[in-house]
Amino acid sequence: MSRPHTSLRTAVVWEVLREALDDRAKATGRETLDVLDTGGGTGNFAVPVARLGHRVTVVDPSPDALFALERRATEAGVADRVRGVQGDAHGLFDVAERGGYDAVLCHGVLEYVDDPAEGVRNAAAALRSGGVLSVLAAGLGGVVLARALAGRFTEARRALADPDGRWGSGDPVPRRFTPERLTDLITAGGLEVAAVHGVRVFADLVPGALVDAEPGATEALARLEEAVAELPAFRSVAAHLHVLARTPAGTAPSVR
């Protein structure tokens, strides 16, 4: 079955996440898990997770995004399993239950929060023992490569040297991560890293028109993305990094 070009941007993450949720369900003996999606916006992941049969709470600061989430969940027939609440990673426990979730999704959040370490600690503290944390964040190598290929060599070098991985004052992303920096942040939050993947290694660099025009190109590109996702050399130049981590069974992450 073919898939749209846009799905290439999240296909690797989705496959890893779905497998992790299946494993968690088997480990707990419960078919329905409680999932928290911080910064989940309009439900790109929340709605598919709910379609697997799980209960999902989405925390997002945007009322417009939450309205779109409600509409999307209704259209997908999972409105009874998706709950949207207004909030953010800093005040997470004003709207979410501490230690109440089997899985926490933290996608596109750590780039923007004032304190990424606090964001990870809060996400970890929301997990039950043995729970799963899925983190998706912007990668430094990806923007350096993209700027260089666009002929913006000074910006590429600036991003490489900048502590936050920014290419200039006009950069819309406040912060980017290397694989090492991101995994260190997560382990410092009391979690065990299970896997690290590079996401969108090629998908953002290949013109969409080229993929759409060539029969079978979308599937071939998807298979290539999957093949390189775990290879360190390609992971380091991915547009985004995905880390799957777990709370050690029988323990709870400390919250400082």
Side-chain angles (χ1 to χ4, degrees):
M1 182 177 64
S2 63
R3 46 186 152 185
H5 181 57
T6 53
S7 74
L8 291 171
R9 301 178 185 277
T10 57
V12 170
V13 180
W14 174 246
E15 291 303 321
V16 173
L17 179 60
R18 183 169 60 180
E19 183 177 347
L21 293 174
D22 288 346
D23 289 345
R24 175 64 177 172
K26 291 175 184 176
T28 60
R30 290 184 283 109
E31 293 184 358
T32 300
L33 302 177
D34 295 303
V35 179
L36 177 66
D37 189 352
T38 63
T42 61
N44 285 340
F45 281 91
V47 169
V49 167
R51 292 181 70 177
L52 294 177
H54 306 305
R55 291 183 293 266
V56 187
T57 298
V58 176
V59 177
D60 196 277
S62 169
D64 291 340
L66 293 174
F67 178 77
L69 166 70
E70 182 180 1
R71 184 174 64 247
R72 189 174 189 171
T74 299
E75 291 173 353
V78 294
D80 60 327
R81 294 196 293 274
V82 176
R83 182 174 71 98
V85 291
Q86 191 172 1
D88 57 30
H90 174 69
L92 185 62
F93 298 115
D94 293 336
V95 294
E97 181 184 352
R98 189 182 298 272
Y101 304 92
D102 297 287
V104 173
L105 280 54
C106 187
H107 295 171
V109 172
L110 299 184
E111 301 96 320
Y112 297 97
V113 294
D114 291 336
D115 186 347
E118 180 194 38
V120 171
R121 289 196 301 268
N122 284 349
L127 286 168
R128 292 170 177 154
S129 177
V132 176
L133 174 65
S134 175
V135 173
L136 183 65
L140 171 62
V143 76
V144 172
L145 183 61
R147 292 282 105 183
L149 290 177
R152 299 183 176 275
F153 307 119
T154 299
E155 291 178 354
R157 186 173 179 181
R158 189 176 297 149
L160 190 61
D162 186 80
D164 290 320
R166 305 186 75 235
W167 50 257
S169 59
D171 193 334
V173 179
R175 186 184 301 109
R176 294 182 178 88
F177 299 87
T178 62
E180 295 77 17
R181 183 184 177 192
L182 187 58
T183 54
D184 286 349
L185 192 66
I186 291 169
T187 55
L191 295 159
E192 297 177 346
V193 172
V196 183
H197 296 86
V199 179
R200 290 156 54 182
V201 177
F202 304 110
D204 289 358
L205 303 176
V206 178
L210 176 63
V211 176
D212 295 337
E214 186 71 23
T218 300
E219 281 301 310
L221 180 55
R223 289 194 295 270
L224 179 60
E225 289 278 356
E226 292 167 1
V228 303
E230 292 188 76
L231 300 178
F234 292 96
R235 196 166 60 202
S236 64
V237 294
H240 282 73
L241 300 168
H242 180 241
V243 178
L244 188 74
R246 292 185 174 87
T247 303
T251 65
S254 60
V255 180
R256 296 185 293 274

